[in-house]
Amino acid sequence: MARKSMLKVIILGDSGVGKTSLMQQYVNKKFSTQYKATIGADFLTKELTLDDRRVVMQIWDTAGQERFQSLGVAFYRGADCCVLMFDVNNAKSFEALDTWRDEFLIQANPTDLENFPFVVIGNKIDVDETRRAVSTQKAQRWCAQKGNLPYFETSAKEATGVNQAFDVIGRNALQQDDVEGFDQEYPDGVDFSQYEQERSDCAC
Amino acid sequence: MDTSKVQLLYCKSKVYIHPSKSSKDNIAGYLALIRPDGASDLDILLSWVPEYLIRQSKDDFDNYVQVDLDPESGAISETSRVMVSPPPLNARSSHAFSIAVKDLFSIQVRQPSLGWWWGSLLFYTRTQVTLPALFFHDLESESTVNEQKRNCESFEPFSDSGDLYWGGQSFLKELRKYVKLVDATVERGLLLVNPDVADKLSFSPAAAKLVTPQPGDDNIAKLSKAWEDAKWGLMEKLAAVTRFSRKAGQQVLDRTPANVKAMLKVPEVEQLSNDFDSARIYLAEWALGIAENSDPRYDVVWMDSYDDLISSIGATDEEYDVISLAASVERRNPVTLEEWNSFFDLSGRLCITQTEVLDRIFHGGLEPSARTEGWLFLLGVYPWDSNAIERHSITSEKRNEYYRLKRHWWDDTERQNNDEFWKDQKHRIEKDVLRTDRQLEIFGQSDIPHPDPDSRFASQGANPHLEQMKDMLITYNEYNENLGYIQGMSDLLSPLYVVLQDDALAFWAFCQFMRRMERNFLRDQSGMHDQLKTLESLVRFMLPQLFEHLEKAESTHFFFFFRMLLVWYKREFEWDAVLRLWEVLWTDFYSSQFHLFLALAILDLNKEVIMAQLHHFDEVLKYINELGQSLDIDVVLMRAEQLFQRFSNTIDLIDRRRKDGQHAVLPSVPDSLRQLRDRKIVEVRESARPEGATGG
């Protein structure tokens, strides 16, 4: 039985930038200050219509602490779009975007490295302006350098900019999905045997 | 002197028979050794007489009481012999019985398990007479209680092998004066009575070789080998039969002893036992032995005679299945504070063995009131052999030490302002503490002003308990410098802090807990990787069908257990269940890695759904991630225990057959699986932090 057209989206970014909150706000329209730190990985799905096509977006939320990524590469594969997220009030989380992007490209190993769709999100714009650490211009400059990546500022808390961001995420993912040819049955793109191989080769 | 009287050599009070499942039907009696007039040692009678019958004669009753309380008075001396009425003949109505010790063939010994079952003895006779099992209600028996008290004084209760003194032990010691008891090496807990060479060959081949050394003549060895071959051949056939009758599909565990009967009723098994001379009893021992391992209703099983077992009710396939699956297990009530205190003598020193306490906690857990102290023992803050005074001084030392460590960073303002790594880590800690278990009342409110007005979290206010958690984790970040704080640790600390309600003690309890959890947090994640690999091997070994399915679903990296293993199911179970689970796991009762058997149990309990419905990794992950609410901790723990026993028994069987050398094709058991039977915790320390590395 063929599965619905599935778009796989991965959200990456430092711990505490609001990955879980963003996903919850988009899918379930709710917010809590008390989401626990994500351990391992989880995803939510949302059905949507993009230019008359019914698709299911599978949004993967991951742990932000760097070391936990090493076991999680399994679900990078087959991704159609990667969201790089930072907290506009936390300069370090912005500086980490380079690492997150590089790490993703190495692990997911998409066929066309140059044109893989990333979307950048600066979150927590609801916080007092005096605490702001990364200006819009600075973020936009970075995005321009990396190949004109779309940039959105959001407040997962107040639901500002969330739908707009995901609309673009969805479109870019769909385009990527068509390019990669995973348009009917996405999970075949996940190659775990290779994952196992990598693990046993590594010295750890 | 009344010549019709017989000499009472020994007796033990409050030895019960349990004629039915209901404890109302239990009958108290005396187990006695009686020498009829002029009888030789071999003709001494082993008798069980209901107490109410003895009470019918005041003289008899006084004598029984005297000999029970003062075993010396049953002494051999001609002049001071204690004479009583002859015991009643074997009587169905009263259940009384007497048998000459020479007619005893073997004795099945079952040690008591504190608060779970009574110690018991079951006598097999040479004459096919079946006798009821005898249960030693030690707590009611004044003589046994006295003896336990005496033993306690000179007794080392902290060794693993230290068994509690019980009534059956006293009886066996006395019986050894008149007959020879030899351990049957083929079955634990089976004693042979005055065995001849053939008996020994059958049941205790090693002992037979010892007592009949015949160098140059290898007939004995050959005979012994023949027995071994036949025996393991039998075992193998038996295993084949049970495997054959195993059906795939939903298997609800039946916990009745009827399964044992059912097992013996299988035509193939009956045929096997008829074919083989000593096989029948051996077979029964073996089959019941499986049930006995863990079945608290073992008592009931033994109420049926062996012949009854063979000839009783028909059986269903499902019932055979249960035997081959594993024995039944039960959860017990949690240890109350009162029971906990009763484990200690007046000086506050443990007066039962550590193993007994761990067994009790493994199977029942602790009531909240018993946790505060219990956890400090389980986590090794308090040594098991400490007394109250020693613990008092440990507590104050630990407090001082913690406050010293805390002050060390607290006063170092230079570092707090300038050390980037330190500031980073503090930020991580604060961020995570603020989202740890906020659903609990204790962490719910943030109604004191934040201690640092410049903090990014200042606007949220502060909660005094979360502030303590923060300080403890910053202190740990210093204390275990190489590891530092990693996400997930706040989840591990919070139950300790909430239960102990003392930051210093909770800190040390946490350090102890982290000794075994450190490998989960290593920079290279090798500890988590190893555990997921071990889980993979375990599932492949124990649930091959499910494993095959997971292979097809590309899910055998078992990544969906990452969260459960990292913080020990903290996110899956409700708060109270987590507390119960952790104290059970801390006992290391079967294995220091029992948490992997929990994962196995969760898979086993859900395997039908997984196999029927889930065909891709994302589906499996989603299903497992959302199991949380539907998991019943007691059900999972019971299944995990069953699976552990089945696992352990299977390895034993493989090893015995391999030793036998005739079975070329045996499954290999990787070392990672063998190590799952180890009770010593696995400690892996983080290496030094590379220059410039962040805490990520």
Side-chain angles (χ1 to χ4, degrees):
Chain A
M1 192 181 69
R3 303 171 91 203
K4 278 188 181 149
S5 186
M6 178 91 80
L7 301 176
K8 184 172 180 179
V9 175
I10 315 278
I11 309 179
L12 300 178
D14 275 6
S15 172
V17 299
K19 299 181 290 299
T20 305
S21 297
L22 184 79
M23 180 177 81
Q24 287 289 348
Q25 182 57 264
Y26 178 58
V27 178
N28 294 325
K29 310 274 176 246
K30 61 178 189 183
F31 176 79
S32 161
T33 54
Q34 295 177 4
Y35 291 125
K36 296 179 179 205
T38 304
I39 296 176
D42 201 358
F43 64 84
L44 290 178
T45 53
K46 187 178 167 84
E47 282 198 45
L48 63 161
T49 309
L50 289 169
D51 302 334
D52 299 330
R53 285 178 68 171
R54 301 283 299 163
V55 294
V56 176
M57 198 190 283
Q58 190 183 60
I59 305 163
W60 286 74
D61 177 25
T62 60
Q65 187 140 15
E66 204 180 311
R67 69 187 59 192
F68 293 137
Q69 295 292 322
S70 67
L71 281 174
V73 296
F75 48 76
Y76 282 21
R77 293 177 186 278
D80 298 305
C81 181
C82 176
V83 177
L84 300 173
M85 195 166 169
F86 70 99
D87 171 356
V88 297
N89 312 293
N90 178 347
K92 275 207 173 64
S93 71
F94 176 69
E95 289 153 19
L97 291 186
D98 270 312
T99 316
W100 286 113
R101 179 176 172 274
D102 295 348
E103 187 72 9
F104 176 82
L105 288 173
I106 292 165
Q107 301 292 357
N109 194 23
T111 41
D112 185 356
L113 284 158
E114 294 303 312
N115 296 308
F116 186 86
F118 287 96
V119 171
V120 180
I121 290 182
N123 189 37
K124 304 199 190 180
I125 55 166
D126 53 279
V127 176
D128 183 359
E129 187 63 31
T130 59
R131 293 199 174 270
R132 179 110 184 194
V134 183
S135 68
T136 308
Q137 293 75 7
K138 192 176 178 186
Q140 282 171 336
R141 223 168 19 245
W142 187 84
C143 291
Q145 279 170 16
K146 298 295 165 183
N148 284 325
L149 307 182
Y151 174 62
F152 293 90
E153 295 195 342
T154 60
S155 162
K157 183 178 181 181
E158 292 169 357
T160 315
V162 175
N163 285 337
Q164 293 89 320
F166 272 98
D167 189 59
V168 171
I169 291 165
R171 284 168 201 283
N172 288 3
L174 190 59
Q175 207 177 1
Q176 173 70 8
D177 195 55
D178 290 342
V179 172
E180 296 263 323
F182 292 143
D183 46 344
Q184 329 80 15
E185 302 199 49
Y186 119 78
D188 296 333
V190 187
D191 182 0
F192 293 99
S193 60
Q194 192 175 345
Y195 164 73
E196 285 303 328
Q197 191 59 42
E198 283 165 12
R199 293 305 307 172
S200 50
D201 284 349
C202 113
C204 53
Chain B
M1 189 181 290
D2 187 342
T3 51
S4 72
K5 296 251 169 162
V6 292
Q7 184 188 1
L8 182 62
L9 297 168
Y10 167 88
C11 68
K12 175 59 72 185
S13 58
K14 302 298 177 188
V15 178
Y16 281 69
I17 63 167
H18 296 175
S20 80
K21 285 184 189 185
S22 165
S23 59
K24 289 201 306 278
D25 297 335
N26 294 351
I27 304 169
Y30 279 85
L31 175 62
L33 289 172
I34 284 166
R35 192 192 291 275
D37 196 25
S40 72
D41 280 359
L42 281 176
D43 289 315
I44 286 172
L45 294 176
L46 179 157
S47 301
W48 181 83
V49 190
E51 194 177 303
Y52 70 87
L53 283 184
I54 295 173
R55 280 178 186 274
Q56 286 171 1
S57 151
K58 189 180 179 305
D59 285 350
D60 279 352
F61 185 64
D62 289 346
N63 283 333
Y64 272 90
V65 170
Q66 182 201 333
V67 172
D68 180 33
L69 290 177
D70 178 15
E72 299 298 315
S73 64
I76 341 285
S77 146
E78 274 300 311
T79 48
S80 65
R81 289 191 299 177
V82 178
M83 305 303 286
V84 294
S85 307
L89 294 175
N90 295 357
R92 207 160 256 281
S93 55
S94 69
H95 299 277
F97 67 83
S98 287
I99 180 172
V101 293
K102 69 178 176 205
D103 291 328
L104 289 174
F105 176 67
S106 64
I107 305 170
Q108 181 75 44
V109 182
R110 184 155 118 131
Q111 305 275 353
S113 177
L114 195 74
W116 195 349
W117 61 65
W118 304 110
S120 59
L121 296 177
L122 180 68
F123 300 99
Y124 295 102
T125 69
R126 293 178 188 279
T127 54
Q128 307 283 310
V129 179
T130 56
L131 303 174
L134 300 179
F135 298 91
F136 292 76
H137 290 214
D138 289 332
L139 296 176
E140 298 165 38
S141 171
E142 197 181 338
S143 62
T144 302
V145 170
N146 289 343
E147 190 61 32
Q148 283 174 345
K149 277 186 195 150
R150 270 196 296 280
N151 278 16
C152 247
E153 286 154 18
S154 59
F155 173 55
E156 175 50 71
F158 305 108
S159 67
D160 277 354
S161 60
D163 293 317
L164 188 66
Y165 172 89
W166 65 293
Q169 186 184 332
S170 147
F171 168 77
L172 291 171
K173 187 176 160 210
E174 194 66 20
L175 183 63
R176 279 178 201 275
K177 291 181 183 167
Y178 309 105
V179 296
K180 189 164 179 182
L181 299 179
V182 177
D183 275 311
T185 51
V186 298
E187 196 64 56
R188 213 180 310 160
L190 186 69
L191 294 171
L192 304 176
V193 183
N194 284 340
D196 59 24
V197 174
D199 293 337
K200 282 182 201 158
L201 277 176
S202 299
F203 287 94
S204 190
K209 278 175 221 156
L210 278 180
V211 297
T212 54
Q214 291 173 298
D217 180 359
D218 60 0
N219 280 340
I220 298 286
K222 273 184 192 158
L223 194 55
S224 169
K225 177 77 167 59
W227 159 256
E228 286 290 320
D229 289 351
K231 187 180 70 193
W232 295 120
L234 182 74
M235 293 281 280
E236 192 180 41
K237 283 178 196 155
L238 195 60
V241 170
T242 53
R243 262 203 308 275
F244 179 72
S245 67
R246 271 202 63 161
K247 280 186 190 162
Q250 186 75 32
Q251 181 58 63
V252 180
L253 280 180
D254 180 349
R255 306 204 196 119
T256 64
N259 300 307
V260 176
K261 302 176 182 179
M263 169 78 197
L264 295 170
K265 189 66 184 163
V266 186
E268 291 91 327
V269 174
E270 277 194 319
Q271 186 56 42
L272 282 174
S273 40
N274 293 338
D275 285 350
F276 206 82
D277 212 355
S278 313
R280 289 176 78 219
I281 193 160
Y282 175 76
L283 197 54
E285 296 282 356
W286 181 78
L288 291 171
I290 291 176
E292 179 215 6
N293 263 339
S294 57
D295 187 356
R297 298 180 209 189
Y298 153 92
D299 298 4
V300 183
V301 176
W302 285 119
M303 282 318 301
D304 298 302
S305 70
Y306 175 67
D307 285 329
D308 281 349
L309 287 182
I310 290 295
S311 60
S312 64
I313 57 143
T316 64
D317 282 357
E318 282 76 11
E319 283 172 318
Y320 310 149
D321 210 351
V322 174
I323 281 296
S324 63
L325 182 63
S328 55
V329 295
E330 277 190 341
R331 300 292 303 164
R332 299 176 57 197
N333 291 331
V335 177
T336 60
L337 183 60
E338 194 185 6
E339 185 183 355
W340 173 262
N341 288 334
S342 77
F343 296 160
F344 298 86
D345 64 20
L346 286 176
S347 74
R349 198 184 285 276
L350 203 61
C351 59
I352 60 176
T353 64
Q354 183 185 337
T355 307
E356 284 167 311
V357 182
L358 296 178
D359 184 342
R360 183 69 184 82
I361 296 173
F362 178 87
H363 287 104
L366 297 162
E367 285 275 2
S369 55
R371 271 191 183 128
T372 319
E373 195 171 57
W375 281 23
L376 292 170
F377 276 96
L378 285 171
L379 285 164
V381 176
Y382 291 159
W384 286 100
D385 58 354
S386 59
N387 64 29
I389 294 171
E390 288 160 352
R391 288 196 291 279
H392 191 74
S393 75
I394 288 170
T395 304
S396 58
E397 279 165 30
K398 293 286 181 192
R399 287 222 172 92
N400 291 337
E401 177 67 3
Y402 173 66
Y403 295 125
R404 194 186 63 74
L405 288 169
K406 182 171 160 181
R407 207 161 38 240
H408 186 73
W409 61 263
W410 189 274
D411 292 345
D412 192 350
T413 45
E414 160 69 19
R415 188 155 177 224
Q416 292 196 30
N417 293 327
N418 300 315
D419 184 333
E420 285 303 312
F421 175 74
W422 199 91
K423 277 158 61 181
D424 248 23
Q425 287 294 83
K426 179 167 182 282
H427 177 72
R428 271 178 221 285
I429 290 167
E430 180 153 28
K431 175 170 52 63
D432 286 347
V433 163
L434 283 174
R435 46 184 177 162
T436 302
D437 297 321
R438 298 299 296 271
Q439 79 283 5
L440 300 176
E441 204 187 332
I442 180 174
F443 296 140
Q445 297 298 315
S446 297
D447 46 11
I448 62 166
H450 196 284
D452 175 8
D454 293 332
S455 164
R456 295 196 32 239
F457 305 100
S459 63
Q460 298 180 24
N463 169 298
H465 298 290
L466 292 178
E467 290 303 307
Q468 298 273 30
M469 292 262 292
K470 230 166 73 184
D471 291 350
M472 291 157 73
L473 288 169
I474 293 173
T475 308
Y476 184 77
N477 183 59
E478 298 281 288
Y479 174 77
N480 191 350
E481 201 182 6
N482 288 335
L483 188 66
Y485 171 80
I486 317 288
Q487 210 160 68
M489 291 183 184
S490 64
D491 275 287
L492 298 183
L493 173 62
S494 114
L496 303 180
Y497 177 73
V498 172
V499 165
L500 298 173
Q501 303 261 326
D502 176 314
D503 57 339
L505 287 177
F507 174 80
W508 292 110
F510 177 69
C511 292
Q512 288 289 107
F513 188 19
M514 280 306 300
R515 285 175 55 208
R516 66 164 90 215
M517 300 306 270
E518 181 155 352
R519 66 172 170 155
N520 288 9
F521 295 95
L522 304 180
R523 200 170 292 111
D524 65 5
Q525 289 289 288
S526 55
M528 285 303 293
H529 186 242
D530 288 349
Q531 288 174 80
L532 291 170
K533 287 302 260 185
T534 304
L535 180 60
E536 181 194 334
S537 303
L538 187 61
V539 176
R540 189 199 296 270
F541 187 71
M542 295 291 289
L543 304 172
Q545 259 186 307
L546 177 69
F547 188 83
E548 212 174 287
H549 177 82
L550 291 174
E551 271 183 319
K552 286 185 206 141
E554 296 174 317
S555 300
T556 50
H557 46 62
F558 289 94
F559 182 77
F560 40 86
F561 275 104
F562 186 89
R563 189 172 71 197
M564 299 197 202
L565 301 189
L566 187 84
V567 291
W568 272 17
Y569 306 87
K570 171 97 183 313
R571 300 289 183 86
E572 282 69 30
F573 288 107
E574 296 287 319
W575 177 261
D576 289 335
V578 170
L579 306 187
R580 171 62 32 79
L581 172 63
W582 287 8
E583 64 204 9
V584 166
L585 291 175
W586 287 330
T587 63
D588 299 322
F589 183 65
Y590 286 113
S591 163
S592 66
Q593 302 194 73
F594 200 72
H595 63 292
L596 295 180
F597 288 88
L598 243 76
L600 187 69
I602 289 169
L603 283 172
D604 191 37
L605 290 163
N606 289 281
K607 63 175 186 276
E608 280 75 27
V609 178
I610 295 171
M611 287 164 70
Q613 310 288 344
L614 311 175
H615 302 291
H616 299 279
F617 166 59
D618 54 345
E619 295 169 343
V620 178
L621 177 124
K622 194 74 192 158
Y623 180 78
I624 299 283
N625 270 354
E626 290 181 359
L627 269 179
Q629 294 75 13
S630 68
L631 293 171
D632 178 318
I633 185 69
D634 284 334
V635 171
V636 176
L637 281 172
M638 285 191 288
R639 181 61 63 94
E641 184 175 0
Q642 288 165 330
L643 286 164
F644 178 86
Q645 287 173 352
R646 184 174 149 204
F647 166 79
S648 191
N649 289 343
T650 308
I651 290 185
D652 283 345
L653 196 63
I654 289 170
D655 288 350
R656 284 185 298 217
R657 286 192 197 157
R658 180 163 288 130
K659 213 168 144 199
D660 196 26
Q662 297 192 349
H663 305 276
V665 190
L666 283 169
S668 69
V669 183
D671 284 346
S672 63
L673 290 190
R674 289 187 183 279
Q675 283 154 12
L676 293 180
R677 299 202 288 184
D678 203 332
R679 295 172 57 182
K680 193 168 171 297
I681 63 170
V682 180
E683 285 189 76
V684 183
R685 301 300 305 268
E686 177 65 289
S687 51
R689 186 164 57 91
E691 194 68 35
T694 65

